[in-house]
Amino acid sequence: MNRHKDRLDWKQRQSRPVKSSSFPGSHLENNYPILNQYFKALPRVLSTSEPEKKMSATSINVTKFASSTTPSSRAHHVGNPPTSFINPWPSFHQHSPFEFISTSLRNRDFKPVPSPDKLVPVQRPTWGIDKSGLKATWIGHASFLIETPPSALGADRGLRILLDPVFSERTSPVSWAGPKRYNPTPCTLDELPDVDIVAISHDHYDHMDSDTLLKTFTRRRGHVHFLVGLGSAARLRGFGIANEAVTELDWWEGARIDVVGLGSVSMTCTPSQHFSGRGIFDRGSTLWCSWVLETCPVNADPEPHSNDKNTDTDNGKFSNSNNSGTKKLFFAGDTGYRHVPHGSLETTMPSCPAFREIGAHFGPFDLALLPIGLYAPRELLSPVHCTPEDAMCLHKDLRSRRSIGMHFGTVRGGISQYFEEVTEPPRRFREACEREGERWGEEVGVLEIGETAIV
């Protein structure tokens, strides 16, 4: 892979201020004691049968739609209207508290974080400026800044979509304990270009960072809109984000976002195999999801397109052309692929069918952002986290032309530090890619933190 030359040395990266969050970052939450917030129940999820609504801000119009070509099953709902959510497939397994504790305590062997020169390099982002195409800049873990090609006549840029942004030092309900970054962000939050849309996959602290979200809303009030799964709007309101700036979606529902002077994009909420919860007693209370992003060419209808049969033309690293003018990106968020009990043969276990459905209805994708880390111990985390080998299966199921690994190299949880070397995921991802006959760095690969892929 070609690498940008403008890298930051470790001393520079250590000296750059990394914003840490107060618990959990908004004036509303800070009015409550920590335990009260940590255990408080989520208000009941709104009914998905509410009429389609248009939401407007100073420069953004959002129109919800239900995809006519995708499954309408509500098997993931508990209750009508839903009060919680489940994974409705045989590929998922809900561990009992005993299983969780006993497995996580068995055969522990602490894996120290290696020296900085062995970690994922961090470079100063260029955001792909002066280059055309759909751009994806990795900010670390599962955070990306996406910029679409310009889709309005005379626009000097496309729409910017921030995915699962986390700029805090810890992914925790408190600023003084919990999982801590071992690799910094490539820039400060204030150094990000102006953002139009923020899409969040689920409410875990390493994907929904209250401090980052509130600061983004405050900075761009009236010019940014947030997309979340069912139930998570209450989370954002608790952070201090205005209700009219948030749209909730169920699986297979989408939203067309029109930004005055910049153009349009379609975002569809799609399934993933994971779970939710920010405390002990609220597991499954909000919906987890993946996202399908479809760009809109100039003067074209921004409604979603499915089953695009165009073939790609290689133009270098993570680059291709799409004759329709529409670019499609898949963001997995956080997901597992199959539950693998101890001693089981992986290929005999059922896999999650949702990704084949997504690939059939929306593929092929020009770019897929897929999780490849925090998967060990396998028998415990396989229902909710992908191995690099699982990510290769996703790459195929989704019919992705290019796939980039994420969810590694930045922060790790309290369990994985005893079972998984932080340098292992990209190495295994490359090995899996080459076993499958894919071209590393062209069809499958990883980025440096701060690096931009363009398709």
Side-chain angles (χ1 to χ4, degrees), residues 46 49 88 96 136 203 237 256 344 346 353 376:
L46 294 176
S49 62
S96 69
D203 66 6
R237 286 196 301 270
R256 187 186 71 207
S344 299
E346 299 221 2

Side-chain angles (χ1 to χ4, degrees), residues 21 165-168 205 207-214 239 278:
S21 65
V166 175
F167 278 78
S168 294
Y205 291 94
H207 294 257
M208 180 185 283
D209 177 15
S210 61
D211 192 55
T212 296
L213 297 180
L214 180 59
F239 302 158
R278 290 170 78 84

Side-chain angles (χ1 to χ4, degrees), residues 14 29 78 99 114 130 152 196 230 234-235 239 280 286 385 445:
Q14 279 191 320
E29 285 181 327
V78 177
E99 287 178 310
D130 296 329
D196 309 297
L230 292 180
R235 300 288 198 206
F239 302 158
I280 296 176
T286 66
H385 283 171

Side-chain angles (χ1 to χ4, degrees), residues 81-101:
T83 56
S84 62
F85 304 92
I86 60 171
N87 293 288
W89 312 289
S91 55
F92 180 77
H93 173 74
Q94 175 70 58
H95 290 291
S96 69
F98 174 77
E99 287 178 310
F100 185 88
I101 294 172

